[in-house]
Amino acid sequence: MAGIEHKEIRLTLRNQLDTVVGLPAAANRAWENRKFEPPTDTWIRETFLPNEEGLVANQLLEALGFVVYDVFHPEGEGTEDAEDLADDIVQAFVHGTTINGSVDVTIDRAERQPGSLESEWYMIPVRISWRAYAPRT
């Protein structure tokens, strides 16, 4: 049984993230296992967390997981900009929406977690739960 391509799910989610107005430039995005030097202004970090995969009705494979976009803003500069960006990311991933890509991904939930200080940064995690289906091959 071949699995669902997680790299395709990640790409579909990233493409949706790119629709957020005011998203930091590509140089201010920390992708997993890529060299990154935090800038002096707002940036985001992605963590992709596939959870489980199994066979469901109609011989479809179902993959479930999360992606977390951590929004970082310089410590001591208030919370408003980070909160606005976190809220905009949540709004881009509406519950029940199916995002079409090479793999169609359905959003189960998008929520902002509490902000906290992390080193010299104020950080707000945005957690998105997703599911994707593919025919069993």
Side-chain angles (χ1 to χ4, degrees), residues 44-87:
I44 63 169
R45 174 178 64 199
E46 175 194 70
T47 306
F48 183 75
L49 304 161
N51 190 15
E52 59 184 89
E53 190 173 298
L55 196 58
V56 294
N58 300 324
Q59 297 295 303
L60 289 175
L61 289 175
E62 177 186 56
L64 305 172
F66 304 92
V67 64
V68 179
Y69 296 112
D70 296 318
V71 175
F72 289 86
H73 192 69
E75 179 183 15
E77 293 188 11
T79 62
E80 296 82 6
D81 290 343
E83 290 172 336
D84 288 346
L85 181 55
D87 288 343

Side-chain angles (χ1 to χ4, degrees), residues 1 17 78 80 89 92 128:
M1 172 169 70
L17 179 70
E80 296 82 6
I89 293 171
I128 298 156

Side-chain angles (χ1 to χ4, degrees), residues 9-52:
I9 295 169
R10 183 194 305 257
L11 179 62
T12 299
L13 293 166
R14 280 186 186 171
N15 287 340
Q16 186 66 19
L17 179 70
D18 281 338
T19 68
V20 175
V21 175
L23 192 69
N28 289 13
R29 301 180 199 172
W31 304 128
E32 289 182 280
N33 200 33
R34 300 270 187 214
K35 205 169 213 178
F36 181 75
E37 191 67 37
T40 58
D41 55 350
T42 303
W43 57 281
I44 63 169
R45 174 178 64 199
E46 175 194 70
T47 306
F48 183 75
L49 304 161
N51 190 15
E52 59 184 89

Side-chain angles (χ1 to χ4, degrees), residues 65-67 105-111 127-131:
F66 304 92
V67 64
V105 179
T106 300
I107 303 305
D108 287 333
R109 184 179 188 138
E111 61 187 352
R127 182 175 176 226
I128 298 156
S129 61
W130 54 263
R131 71 180 58 237

